[in-house]
PDB file of all heavy atoms in Angstrom:
ATOM      1  N   ILE A  77      92.855 111.449  98.796  1.00  0.00           N
ATOM      2  CA  ILE A  77      92.345 111.423 100.167  1.00  0.00           C
ATOM      3  C   ILE A  77      92.771 110.164 100.898  1.00  0.00           C
ATOM      4  O   ILE A  77      92.856 109.080 100.310  1.00  0.00           O
ATOM      5  CB  ILE A  77      90.795 111.571 100.163  1.00  0.00           C
ATOM      6  CG1 ILE A  77      90.249 111.645 101.584  1.00  0.00           C
ATOM      7  CG2 ILE A  77      90.144 110.462  99.352  1.00  0.00           C
ATOM      8  CD1 ILE A  77      88.787 112.068 101.637  1.00  0.00           C
ATOM      9  N   SER A  78      93.059 110.345 102.185  1.00  0.00           N
ATOM     10  CA  SER A  78      93.409 109.232 103.053  1.00  0.00           C
ATOM     11  C   SER A  78      92.801 109.485 104.427  1.00  0.00           C
ATOM     12  O   SER A  78      92.338 110.587 104.724  1.00  0.00           O
ATOM     13  CB  SER A  78      94.939 109.101 103.179  1.00  0.00           C
ATOM     14  OG  SER A  78      95.284 107.996 103.986  1.00  0.00           O
ATOM     15  N   ALA A  79      92.784 108.466 105.232  1.00  0.00           N
ATOM     16  CA  ALA A  79      92.277 108.619 106.603  1.00  0.00           C
ATOM     17  C   ALA A  79      92.933 107.598 107.502  1.00  0.00           C
ATOM     18  O   ALA A  79      93.237 106.466 107.083  1.00  0.00           O
ATOM     19  CB  ALA A  79      90.765 108.457 106.657  1.00  0.00           C
ATOM     20  N   LEU A  80      93.158 107.989 108.715  1.00  0.00           N
ATOM     21  CA  LEU A  80      93.433 107.050 109.792  1.00  0.00           C
ATOM     22  C   LEU A  80      92.060 106.744 110.380  1.00  0.00           C
ATOM     23  O   LEU A  80      91.521 107.495 111.177  1.00  0.00           O
ATOM     24  CB  LEU A  80      94.389 107.669 110.815  1.00  0.00           C
ATOM     25  CG  LEU A  80      95.778 107.998 110.250  1.00  0.00           C
ATOM     26  CD1 LEU A  80      96.609 108.767 111.256  1.00  0.00           C
ATOM     27  CD2 LEU A  80      96.498 106.729 109.817  1.00  0.00           C
ATOM     28  N   GLY A  81      91.489 105.657 109.925  1.00  0.00           N
ATOM     29  CA  GLY A  81      90.089 105.344 110.120  1.00  0.00           C
ATOM     30  C   GLY A  81      89.468 105.145 108.755  1.00  0.00           C
ATOM     31  O   GLY A  81      90.118 104.649 107.821  1.00  0.00           O
ATOM     32  N   LEU A  82      88.231 105.575 108.572  1.00  0.00           N
ATOM     33  CA  LEU A  82      87.517 105.448 107.311  1.00  0.00           C
ATOM     34  C   LEU A  82      87.010 106.811 106.877  1.00  0.00           C
ATOM     35  O   LEU A  82      86.693 107.653 107.708  1.00  0.00           O
ATOM     36  CB  LEU A  82      86.320 104.498 107.468  1.00  0.00           C
ATOM     37  CG  LEU A  82      86.604 103.122 108.071  1.00  0.00           C
ATOM     38  CD1 LEU A  82      85.304 102.361 108.303  1.00  0.00           C
ATOM     39  CD2 LEU A  82      87.548 102.323 107.187  1.00  0.00           C
ATOM     40  N   TYR A  83      86.940 107.038 105.561  1.00  0.00           N
ATOM     41  CA  TYR A  83      86.416 108.308 105.064  1.00  0.00           C
ATOM     42  C   TYR A  83      85.243 108.069 104.124  1.00  0.00           C
ATOM     43  O   TYR A  83      85.122 107.034 103.482  1.00  0.00           O
ATOM     44  CB  TYR A  83      87.499 109.123 104.352  1.00  0.00           C
ATOM     45  CG  TYR A  83      88.033 108.501 103.075  1.00  0.00           C
ATOM     46  CD1 TYR A  83      87.303 108.493 101.888  1.00  0.00           C
ATOM     47  CD2 TYR A  83      89.301 107.922 103.052  1.00  0.00           C
ATOM     48  CE1 TYR A  83      87.797 107.924 100.724  1.00  0.00           C
ATOM     49  CE2 TYR A  83      89.811 107.344 101.887  1.00  0.00           C
ATOM     50  CZ  TYR A  83      89.053 107.357 100.731  1.00  0.00           C
ATOM     51  OH  TYR A  83      89.543 106.789  99.587  1.00  0.00           O
ATOM     52  N   ASP A  84      84.374 109.074 104.045  1.00  0.00           N
ATOM     53  CA  ASP A  84      83.305 109.128 103.062  1.00  0.00           C
ATOM     54  C   ASP A  84      83.218 110.582 102.624  1.00  0.00           C
ATOM     55  O   ASP A  84      82.903 111.458 103.435  1.00  0.00           O
ATOM     56  CB  ASP A  84      81.985 108.643 103.651  1.00  0.00           C
ATOM     57  CG  ASP A  84      81.015 108.161 102.584  1.00  0.00           C
ATOM     58  OD1 ASP A  84      81.309 108.332 101.392  1.00  0.00           O
ATOM     59  OD2 ASP A  84      79.957 107.611 102.944  1.00  0.00           O
ATOM     60  N   ALA A  85      83.531 110.853 101.355  1.00  0.00           N
ATOM     61  CA  ALA A  85      83.687 112.229 100.884  1.00  0.00           C
ATOM     62  C   ALA A  85      82.543 112.641  99.976  1.00  0.00           C
ATOM     63  O   ALA A  85      81.992 111.836  99.212  1.00  0.00           O
ATOM     64  CB  ALA A  85      85.023 112.384 100.159  1.00  0.00           C
ATOM     65  N   GLU A  86      82.210 113.943 100.027  1.00  0.00           N
ATOM     66  CA  GLU A  86      81.164 114.530  99.191  1.00  0.00           C
ATOM     67  C   GLU A  86      81.664 115.842  98.606  1.00  0.00           C
ATOM     68  O   GLU A  86      82.480 116.544  99.220  1.00  0.00           O
ATOM     69  CB  GLU A  86      79.895 114.793 100.021  1.00  0.00           C
ATOM     70  CG  GLU A  86      79.323 113.562 100.696  1.00  0.00           C
ATOM     71  CD  GLU A  86      78.080 113.854 101.535  1.00  0.00           C
ATOM     72  OE1 GLU A  86      77.595 115.017 101.478  1.00  0.00           O
ATOM     73  OE2 GLU A  86      77.607 112.952 102.227  1.00  0.00           O
ATOM     74  N   LEU A  87      81.186 116.183  97.423  1.00  0.00           N
ATOM     75  CA  LEU A  87      81.429 117.472  96.793  1.00  0.00           C
ATOM     76  C   LEU A  87      80.085 118.092  96.442  1.00  0.00           C
ATOM     77  O   LEU A  87      79.286 117.481  95.725  1.00  0.00           O
ATOM     78  CB  LEU A  87      82.266 117.325  95.522  1.00  0.00           C
ATOM     79  CG  LEU A  87      83.796 117.349  95.626  1.00  0.00           C
ATOM     80  CD1 LEU A  87      84.290 118.668  96.198  1.00  0.00           C
ATOM     81  CD2 LEU A  87      84.336 116.164  96.374  1.00  0.00           C
ATOM     82  N   ASN A  88      79.824 119.269  96.999  1.00  0.00           N
ATOM     83  CA  ASN A  88      78.572 119.984  96.712  1.00  0.00           C
ATOM     84  C   ASN A  88      77.344 119.101  96.896  1.00  0.00           C
ATOM     85  O   ASN A  88      76.398 119.119  96.106  1.00  0.00           O
ATOM     86  CB  ASN A  88      78.615 120.556  95.295  1.00  0.00           C
ATOM     87  CG  ASN A  88      79.676 121.634  95.138  1.00  0.00           C
ATOM     88  OD1 ASN A  88      80.026 122.312  96.096  1.00  0.00           O
ATOM     89  ND2 ASN A  88      80.205 121.781  93.926  1.00  0.00           N
ATOM     90  N   GLY A  89      77.369 118.309  97.966  1.00  0.00           N
ATOM     91  CA  GLY A  89      76.211 117.496  98.333  1.00  0.00           C
ATOM     92  C   GLY A  89      76.100 116.177  97.605  1.00  0.00           C
ATOM     93  O   GLY A  89      75.123 115.442  97.822  1.00  0.00           O
ATOM     94  N   LYS A  90      77.061 115.842  96.748  1.00  0.00           N
ATOM     95  CA  LYS A  90      77.015 114.589  96.001  1.00  0.00           C
ATOM     96  C   LYS A  90      78.217 113.715  96.359  1.00  0.00           C
ATOM     97  O   LYS A  90      79.297 114.228  96.632  1.00  0.00           O
ATOM     98  CB  LYS A  90      76.982 114.863  94.497  1.00  0.00           C
ATOM     99  CG  LYS A  90      75.750 115.626  94.051  1.00  0.00           C
ATOM    100  CD  LYS A  90      75.755 115.859  92.546  1.00  0.00           C
ATOM    101  CE  LYS A  90      74.512 116.613  92.103  1.00  0.00           C
ATOM    102  NZ  LYS A  90      74.509 116.870  90.640  1.00  0.00           N
ATOM    103  N   ALA A  91      78.005 112.397  96.334  1.00  0.00           N
ATOM    104  CA  ALA A  91      79.071 111.473  96.691  1.00  0.00           C
ATOM    105  C   ALA A  91      80.255 111.628  95.752  1.00  0.00           C
ATOM    106  O   ALA A  91      80.097 111.709  94.527  1.00  0.00           O
ATOM    107  CB  ALA A  91      78.553 110.037  96.649  1.00  0.00           C
ATOM    108  N   ALA A  92      81.459 111.652  96.312  1.00  0.00           N
ATOM    109  CA  ALA A  92      82.673 111.786  95.515  1.00  0.00           C
ATOM    110  C   ALA A  92      83.199 110.446  95.019  1.00  0.00           C
ATOM    111  O   ALA A  92      84.104 110.412  94.183  1.00  0.00           O
ATOM    112  CB  ALA A  92      83.760 112.491  96.339  1.00  0.00           C
ATOM    113  N   HIS A  93      82.647 109.339  95.527  1.00  0.00           N
ATOM    114  CA  HIS A  93      83.151 108.014  95.169  1.00  0.00           C
ATOM    115  C   HIS A  93      82.119 106.975  95.553  1.00  0.00           C
ATOM    116  O   HIS A  93      81.165 107.263  96.286  1.00  0.00           O
ATOM    117  CB  HIS A  93      84.477 107.725  95.887  1.00  0.00           C
ATOM    118  CG  HIS A  93      84.384 107.876  97.383  1.00  0.00           C
ATOM    119  ND1 HIS A  93      83.969 106.858  98.214  1.00  0.00           N
ATOM    120  CD2 HIS A  93      84.615 108.938  98.196  1.00  0.00           C
ATOM    121  CE1 HIS A  93      83.972 107.286  99.466  1.00  0.00           C
ATOM    122  NE2 HIS A  93      84.352 108.548  99.490  1.00  0.00           N
ATOM    123  N   GLU A  94      82.319 105.756  95.075  1.00  0.00           N
ATOM    124  CA  GLU A  94      81.438 104.632  95.400  1.00  0.00           C
ATOM    125  C   GLU A  94      82.068 103.702  96.436  1.00  0.00           C
ATOM    126  O   GLU A  94      81.448 102.705  96.826  1.00  0.00           O
ATOM    127  CB  GLU A  94      81.116 103.839  94.141  1.00  0.00           C
ATOM    128  CG  GLU A  94      80.348 104.632  93.097  1.00  0.00           C
ATOM    129  CD  GLU A  94      80.057 103.812  91.854  1.00  0.00           C
ATOM    130  OE1 GLU A  94      80.508 102.647  91.789  1.00  0.00           O
ATOM    131  OE2 GLU A  94      79.386 104.325  90.945  1.00  0.00           O
ATOM    132  N   ASP A  95      83.271 103.999  96.866  1.00  0.00           N
ATOM    133  CA  ASP A  95      83.991 103.113  97.780  1.00  0.00           C
ATOM    134  C   ASP A  95      83.358 103.132  99.170  1.00  0.00           C
ATOM    135  O   ASP A  95      82.770 104.130  99.598  1.00  0.00           O
ATOM    136  CB  ASP A  95      85.452 103.542  97.913  1.00  0.00           C
ATOM    137  CG  ASP A  95      86.181 103.554  96.586  1.00  0.00           C
ATOM    138  OD1 ASP A  95      85.595 103.099  95.585  1.00  0.00           O
ATOM    139  OD2 ASP A  95      87.319 104.034  96.541  1.00  0.00           O
ATOM    140  N   THR A  96      83.517 102.033  99.877  1.00  0.00           N
ATOM    141  CA  THR A  96      83.138 101.978 101.285  1.00  0.00           C
ATOM    142  C   THR A  96      84.291 101.369 102.067  1.00  0.00           C
ATOM    143  O   THR A  96      85.115 100.633 101.515  1.00  0.00           O
ATOM    144  CB  THR A  96      81.835 101.179 101.478  1.00  0.00           C
ATOM    145  OG1 THR A  96      81.399 101.302 102.830  1.00  0.00           O
ATOM    146  CG2 THR A  96      82.019  99.711 101.124  1.00  0.00           C
ATOM    147  N   PHE A  97      84.400 101.724 103.328  1.00  0.00           N
ATOM    148  CA  PHE A  97      85.499 101.280 104.206  1.00  0.00           C
ATOM    149  C   PHE A  97      86.861 101.680 103.648  1.00  0.00           C
ATOM    150  O   PHE A  97      87.855 100.982 103.844  1.00  0.00           O
ATOM    151  CB  PHE A  97      85.435  99.765 104.455  1.00  0.00           C
ATOM    152  CG  PHE A  97      84.094  99.293 104.922  1.00  0.00           C
ATOM    153  CD1 PHE A  97      83.454  98.233 104.312  1.00  0.00           C
ATOM    154  CD2 PHE A  97      83.446  99.939 105.960  1.00  0.00           C
ATOM    155  CE1 PHE A  97      82.207  97.810 104.727  1.00  0.00           C
ATOM    156  CE2 PHE A  97      82.193  99.525 106.391  1.00  0.00           C
ATOM    157  CZ  PHE A  97      81.570  98.460 105.770  1.00  0.00           C
ATOM    158  N   ALA A  98      86.905 102.793 102.923  1.00  0.00           N
ATOM    159  CA  ALA A  98      88.169 103.301 102.389  1.00  0.00           C
ATOM    160  C   ALA A  98      88.890 104.115 103.470  1.00  0.00           C
ATOM    161  O   ALA A  98      88.250 104.750 104.299  1.00  0.00           O
ATOM    162  CB  ALA A  98      87.901 104.172 101.170  1.00  0.00           C
ATOM    163  N   PRO A  99      90.240 104.079 103.468  1.00  0.00           N
ATOM    164  CA  PRO A  99      91.111 103.483 102.460  1.00  0.00           C
ATOM    165  C   PRO A  99      91.520 102.040 102.724  1.00  0.00           C
ATOM    166  O   PRO A  99      92.369 101.522 102.014  1.00  0.00           O
ATOM    167  CB  PRO A  99      92.344 104.394 102.546  1.00  0.00           C
ATOM    168  CG  PRO A  99      92.430 104.749 104.002  1.00  0.00           C
ATOM    169  CD  PRO A  99      91.005 104.893 104.453  1.00  0.00           C
ATOM    170  N   GLY A 100      90.934 101.381 103.718  1.00  0.00           N
ATOM    171  CA  GLY A 100      91.292  99.992 104.021  1.00  0.00           C
ATOM    172  C   GLY A 100      92.214  99.894 105.232  1.00  0.00           C
ATOM    173  O   GLY A 100      92.737 100.882 105.729  1.00  0.00           O
ATOM    174  N   TRP A 101      92.388  98.662 105.687  1.00  0.00           N
ATOM    175  CA  TRP A 101      93.171  98.391 106.907  1.00  0.00           C
ATOM    176  C   TRP A 101      94.630  98.156 106.558  1.00  0.00           C
ATOM    177  O   TRP A 101      94.957  97.372 105.672  1.00  0.00           O
ATOM    178  CB  TRP A 101      92.580  97.168 107.601  1.00  0.00           C
ATOM    179  CG  TRP A 101      93.197  96.847 108.938  1.00  0.00           C
ATOM    180  CD1 TRP A 101      94.027  97.625 109.683  1.00  0.00           C
ATOM    181  CD2 TRP A 101      93.007  95.652 109.694  1.00  0.00           C
ATOM    182  NE1 TRP A 101      94.361  97.007 110.864  1.00  0.00           N
ATOM    183  CE2 TRP A 101      93.748  95.783 110.893  1.00  0.00           C
ATOM    184  CE3 TRP A 101      92.282  94.476 109.477  1.00  0.00           C
ATOM    185  CZ2 TRP A 101      93.784  94.777 111.867  1.00  0.00           C
ATOM    186  CZ3 TRP A 101      92.314  93.483 110.449  1.00  0.00           C
ATOM    187  CH2 TRP A 101      93.055  93.636 111.622  1.00  0.00           C
ATOM    188  N   THR A 102      95.509  98.844 107.237  1.00  0.00           N
ATOM    189  CA  THR A 102      96.944  98.596 107.167  1.00  0.00           C
ATOM    190  C   THR A 102      97.490  98.615 108.585  1.00  0.00           C
ATOM    191  O   THR A 102      96.779  98.967 109.535  1.00  0.00           O
ATOM    192  CB  THR A 102      97.653  99.685 106.346  1.00  0.00           C
ATOM    193  OG1 THR A 102      97.279 100.974 106.849  1.00  0.00           O
ATOM    194  CG2 THR A 102      97.276  99.605 104.873  1.00  0.00           C
ATOM    195  N   ASP A 103      98.759  98.271 108.745  1.00  0.00           N
ATOM    196  CA  ASP A 103      99.426  98.476 110.026  1.00  0.00           C
ATOM    197  C   ASP A 103      99.778  99.958 110.086  1.00  0.00           C
ATOM    198  O   ASP A 103     100.773 100.403 109.512  1.00  0.00           O
ATOM    199  CB  ASP A 103     100.682  97.619 110.136  1.00  0.00           C
ATOM    200  CG  ASP A 103     101.340  97.725 111.507  1.00  0.00           C
ATOM    201  OD1 ASP A 103     101.014  98.673 112.260  1.00  0.00           O
ATOM    202  OD2 ASP A 103     102.179  96.865 111.826  1.00  0.00           O
ATOM    203  N   TYR A 104      98.924 100.733 110.756  1.00  0.00           N
ATOM    204  CA  TYR A 104      99.055 102.183 110.726  1.00  0.00           C
ATOM    205  C   TYR A 104     100.341 102.678 111.379  1.00  0.00           C
ATOM    206  O   TYR A 104     100.707 103.843 111.211  1.00  0.00           O
ATOM    207  CB  TYR A 104      97.851 102.825 111.414  1.00  0.00           C
ATOM    208  CG  TYR A 104      96.531 102.466 110.790  1.00  0.00           C
ATOM    209  CD1 TYR A 104      95.683 101.526 111.384  1.00  0.00           C
ATOM    210  CD2 TYR A 104      96.128 103.044 109.596  1.00  0.00           C
ATOM    211  CE1 TYR A 104      94.471 101.197 110.811  1.00  0.00           C
ATOM    212  CE2 TYR A 104      94.920 102.720 109.017  1.00  0.00           C
ATOM    213  CZ  TYR A 104      94.097 101.792 109.621  1.00  0.00           C
ATOM    214  OH  TYR A 104      92.898 101.459 109.046  1.00  0.00           O
ATOM    215  N   ARG A 105     101.030 101.829 112.104  1.00  0.00           N
ATOM    216  CA  ARG A 105     102.323 102.227 112.664  1.00  0.00           C
ATOM    217  C   ARG A 105     103.376 102.328 111.575  1.00  0.00           C
ATOM    218  O   ARG A 105     104.421 102.956 111.769  1.00  0.00           O
ATOM    219  CB  ARG A 105     102.754 101.223 113.726  1.00  0.00           C
ATOM    220  CG  ARG A 105     101.833 101.189 114.948  1.00  0.00           C
ATOM    221  CD  ARG A 105     102.052  99.983 115.800  1.00  0.00           C
ATOM    222  NE  ARG A 105     101.667  98.761 115.097  1.00  0.00           N
ATOM    223  CZ  ARG A 105     101.503  97.582 115.685  1.00  0.00           C
ATOM    224  NH1 ARG A 105     101.681  97.476 116.996  1.00  0.00           N
ATOM    225  NH2 ARG A 105     101.154  96.525 114.989  1.00  0.00           N
ATOM    226  N   LYS A 106     103.081 101.710 110.416  1.00  0.00           N
ATOM    227  CA  LYS A 106     104.047 101.703 109.315  1.00  0.00           C
ATOM    228  C   LYS A 106     103.537 102.398 108.062  1.00  0.00           C
ATOM    229  O   LYS A 106     104.312 103.046 107.351  1.00  0.00           O
ATOM    230  CB  LYS A 106     104.413 100.255 108.965  1.00  0.00           C
ATOM    231  CG  LYS A 106     105.046  99.473 110.110  1.00  0.00           C
ATOM    232  CD  LYS A 106     105.338  98.040 109.669  1.00  0.00           C
ATOM    233  CE  LYS A 106     105.980  97.242 110.804  1.00  0.00           C
ATOM    234  NZ  LYS A 106     106.255  95.836 110.382  1.00  0.00           N
ATOM    235  N   ARG A 107     102.247 102.254 107.752  1.00  0.00           N
ATOM    236  CA  ARG A 107     101.775 102.685 106.446  1.00  0.00           C
ATOM    237  C   ARG A 107     100.273 102.968 106.480  1.00  0.00           C
ATOM    238  O   ARG A 107      99.526 102.344 107.222  1.00  0.00           O
ATOM    239  CB  ARG A 107     102.051 101.574 105.417  1.00  0.00           C
ATOM    240  CG  ARG A 107     101.688 101.909 103.975  1.00  0.00           C
ATOM    241  CD  ARG A 107     102.047 100.739 103.058  1.00  0.00           C
ATOM    242  NE  ARG A 107     103.417 100.309 103.227  1.00  0.00           N
ATOM    243  CZ  ARG A 107     104.451 100.877 102.621  1.00  0.00           C
ATOM    244  NH1 ARG A 107     104.242 101.881 101.797  1.00  0.00           N
ATOM    245  NH2 ARG A 107     105.674 100.443 102.838  1.00  0.00           N
ATOM    246  N   VAL A 108      99.856 103.921 105.645  1.00  0.00           N
ATOM    247  CA  VAL A 108      98.440 104.166 105.396  1.00  0.00           C
ATOM    248  C   VAL A 108      98.264 104.385 103.899  1.00  0.00           C
ATOM    249  O   VAL A 108      99.180 104.878 103.221  1.00  0.00           O
ATOM    250  CB  VAL A 108      97.924 105.380 106.204  1.00  0.00           C
ATOM    251  CG1 VAL A 108      98.556 106.678 105.743  1.00  0.00           C
ATOM    252  CG2 VAL A 108      96.396 105.473 106.133  1.00  0.00           C
ATOM    253  N   GLN A 109      97.113 104.014 103.363  1.00  0.00           N
ATOM    254  CA  GLN A 109      96.872 104.105 101.931  1.00  0.00           C
ATOM    255  C   GLN A 109      96.053 105.360 101.596  1.00  0.00           C
ATOM    256  O   GLN A 109      95.387 105.924 102.454  1.00  0.00           O
ATOM    257  CB  GLN A 109      96.118 102.864 101.448  1.00  0.00           C
ATOM    258  CG  GLN A 109      96.866 101.563 101.696  1.00  0.00           C
ATOM    259  CD  GLN A 109      96.033 100.334 101.385  1.00  0.00           C
ATOM    260  OE1 GLN A 109      94.841 100.428 101.111  1.00  0.00           O
ATOM    261  NE2 GLN A 109      96.661  99.168 101.421  1.00  0.00           N
TER     262      GLN A 109
END
């Protein structure tokens, strides 16, 4: 999963990850994580 912005994902009502502010800041004109 990636986002231009930030994502928070769930599967069947449960958190899919513990990360916050994912995927992080990059120069979106060149790259996204």
Side-chain angles (χ1 to χ4, degrees):
I77 184 168
S78 182
L80 297 173
L82 308 174
Y83 65 75
D84 203 353
E86 302 179 7
L87 272 299
N88 294 332
K90 297 181 179 179
H93 55 86
E94 297 179 357
D95 302 353
T96 188
F97 309 129
W101 186 12
T102 52
D103 185 344
Y104 301 103
R105 295 165 294 194
K106 300 179 180 179
R107 184 178 308 276
V108 66
Q109 300 172 352

